[in-house]
Amino acid sequence: MELEERARDSADNCIACTSCVAVCPVTKANPDYRGPKLVGPAHNRMHFSDENDYEDSLKLCSNCKNCDITCPNGVSVATLNMLERAKYYKAHPEKHTQADQMLSHNFQMADMLKSIPFGRTCANIGMSIGEAMGMMGAMGIAPQRKSPRFATKYFREMYKEIKQPEGLTKEVLFFPGCFIDTNDPEVGVAFVKVMNANGYKVLMDDRFKCCGSPLVVGGYLDEARSHADNNVAIINEYAAKNIPVIACCTSCSLMLKAEYTELFAQEEMAQAAKNVYDAFEFLTILAEKGELKKVHVSSDKKFIYHAPCHLRAQGMGMPAVDLLKEIGVNIDSADAGCCGMSGSYGFHKENYETSMKIGSELFDKINASGAHKVVCDCGTCREQIKHGTNAKTTHPIQVLAKAYEQ
Amino acid sequence: MSKSDVVVIGNGFAGLMSALVSADQGKKVTLLSYGAGTFPLNSGVIDVLGYDDSGKAVANPAQAVSAVADEHPYKKIGIQALEESVKFFQDVVAAEGFPYVGSLNEQQWLVTGVGTLKPSCLIPESMQGSKCFEASEIVLVGIKGLKDYYVDMVAENLAKELGNDKKYTVVTVDPHYQGARDLTTKDVAAWMDTEAGYADFVSQVKGNAGAGKVILVPQILGLKGNVVYKKIVAELGCPVVETTAMPPSVNGLRLRDVLLSALKKKGITVIEKAKAEEAVIEGSKAVAIKAGGEVRLQTYNADKFIVATGGFYSGGITMRDFGEAKEVVFGLPVECDCFEERWVNKQLFSDKKQTFAKTGVRVDATLRGVDESGNVVLENVYVVGRNLSGYDFCFEHSGNGVALASAYKAAKA
Ligand SMILES: Cc1cc2nc3c(=O)[nH]c(=O)nc-3n(C[C@H](O)[C@H](O)[C@H](O)COP(=O)(O)OP(=O)(O)OC[C@H]3O[C@@H](n4cnc5c(N)ncnc54)[C@H](O)[C@@H]3O)c2cc1C
Ligand code: SF4
Ligand code: SF4
């Protein structure tokens, strides 16, 4: 059922204060981008559906949501941009590039490779060869980057081999998301350990699809909608059984909690959102109820934390940092803004320079920190950090899982 | 989230200063922020009192503050807290390497972005318009392609203000800008932060610099405190003065960054996009605030709360209908002359205060909300900044001054 309150109507709340322009990292790094105020709210209101009337620089927005974070009037600026972008590609499907197609549909590739014996190993070798021969650039993908390799075993496969303790009465459903599932499954393993230690059995549901974030950014809104409908139905099924859904990736959780509803304005989506939690949000709730497993870390190894923009946009601070600090981890937030990657954005060849310029403040802070590892909840932020600094990275849930092992 | 001593709601100038003063008292502070506050809009200068009730320009803010009407927040805050707050602020920004000049005993002068003069009380070193007074020649720098800065008009207006016995020279600097959008002062300031941009600028201006001259520029001297300002003054060998600016205001952003850096050093937790929605009250005390977040509100417990939500302008106070103004988070009593016929003074630039602008929470001398008989409503909830009733910041030029002094007083209480 359609909701009455729609994100696209929030354009009318814009008072043209330019706060969003002042903080937009792409505006700062790339003088061709006209900035959120004009591209989002203003254009949305002025746009009278001539299918050729599009703002050219719209494609430069990374959907990082710093505009939303800064807007004093609750305008869903980034979503307005994404809706506008979707309209453009609907009218001009031929404008989609090969890179758009690939970067938005990585989940299809991942599924296909899984079905081929040694498919992943071969693909990884193929990527190495492709990178070495400079083929990435020809496909529109930033040749400077190393593409994330596929794990030889995805999390959904590893999960089946994990023996969870008998007799756990409480259950949560894990939404792994593509990156953790197919690129960084150890994060999922750590999540299961942490939840088990707190008395929860972790469930998986193979019907889940990619949250759709890369599809939205690529302008494939209809496909994103079908993913949303699929995932929302599953989440609501579990809600009926009082089983919460938890994500470790902050872009996935933002999508499930907020962006589905913003983009598509369906009541079921708003309903499902109430049953979705970020992992550390959930653990914090346990801690507040005195139900979180107690542990104290005595090592003084120094960590530095990078807060993903898609976590900051959730309006709940940095629960991972608070919780890790509480148990004695020596960790401090870098507070250096956007890393510049924004999911698949920085992988596009034409965005590479912008992406690295945006990240430079964070890279400098990390390099100067002398920290032993960078902690961050987002997989593609971690890729960017490794690329920009050579630092080692980890997900906060892995830090907590380690603490539990001691 | 574990309990704080103080929760500050709102992240404008009043909110940030409340948090800093509270932390300085050794308190554990959480700040709930939403949006960017007025920083990107105002020039980051601290007006204490520019004009008195009759609209006469104030020469000595301390004296004029002592003479304000009983309803005015300064009366409740008192001159001592104002004085201490000014010192506190100047210490904070100086420690961050971004000193503000000025005192309560005289006004500083700003050159506006259209070339007029305007009084203020505390201003960054780079904006000291008074340096133009002694100069024999003012070199006005325009920037090719810069939006909303018409250097010839600035020259013309400034000559009217300062007289024609000075020489006014206009120089236009080409930033070799290639972008597709309009150039803003923020873009030029970012360019000045680069070594190449700085060197390019200096090479285009240097020929016009020299003894007895002042270089007047739009607000472009870098985004990071006064780094570029110090460098360029030394290099050009004569005073350089920035004008005020159209939003996004570079100096407003500088001040915000500097204060946020100070907050971080004090270990203050800042929660972004955390709009306070509900208060949890027990008896005559607030115990928690529910705020934020996507889907579900988060609970923030504390012993004391400071409401710095910016009044009408920033959503701290709303009014659906005449007579129904309310403070949004705690429902504190709002004082206003809420009758349609008296609400606005239709002459926008007239010499009278606006009724709607004076609307705010009714507080006592402790800055806690009080009912009509003067009884404190919530013992541990304090109100600061634009939320306070009884003054029209726009008319009297007192916005950031009231914000600072009230923040200081509430945090010390
Ligand atoms: C265009 C303009 C120019 C100005 N120029 C000057 C000047 O040159 N000099 C001067 O001294 N003064 C100036 N002022 C006045 C000055 O900016 C303000 O009076 C003063 O800064 C008010 O500060 P504040 O912190 O009370 O409010 P604000 O700066 O408005 O901050 C309030 C903050 O609280 C947030 N908020 C609101 N509701 C909630 C909630 N429920 N939960 C969480 N957060 C919330 C808002 O989003 C906002 O960020 C100017 C004002 C304007 C509008
Ligand atoms: S989403 Fe990010 S890149 Fe896009 S307009 Fe907003 S701040 Fe700028
Ligand atoms: S910050 Fe919000 S209100 Fe201000 S210009 Fe941007 S969208 Fe409009």
Side-chain angles (χ1 to χ4, degrees), chain B residues 354-377:
Chain B
Q354 294 283 356
T355 305
F356 69 82
K358 286 166 71 182
T359 303
V361 178
R362 184 195 307 117
V363 295
D364 64 7
T366 64
L367 302 185
R368 291 176 295 179
V370 290
D371 63 19
E372 274 170 33
S373 355
N375 302 314
V376 170
V377 182

Side-chain angles (χ1 to χ4, degrees), chain A residues 13-21 36-37 41 67 70-75 77:
Chain A
N13 297 342
C14 173
I15 55 160
C17 71
T18 69
S19 292
C20 51
V21 182
K37 179 179 72 171
C67 44
T70 308
C71 176
N73 296 305
V75 181
V77 193

Side-chain angles (χ1 to χ4, degrees), chain A residues 90-106:
Chain A
K90 202 146 195 173
H92 304 277
E94 74 286 355
K95 296 280 187 192
H96 264 135
T97 63
Q98 197 185 353
D100 292 340
Q101 175 64 26
M102 278 179 55
L103 291 169
S104 290
H105 296 83
N106 205 37

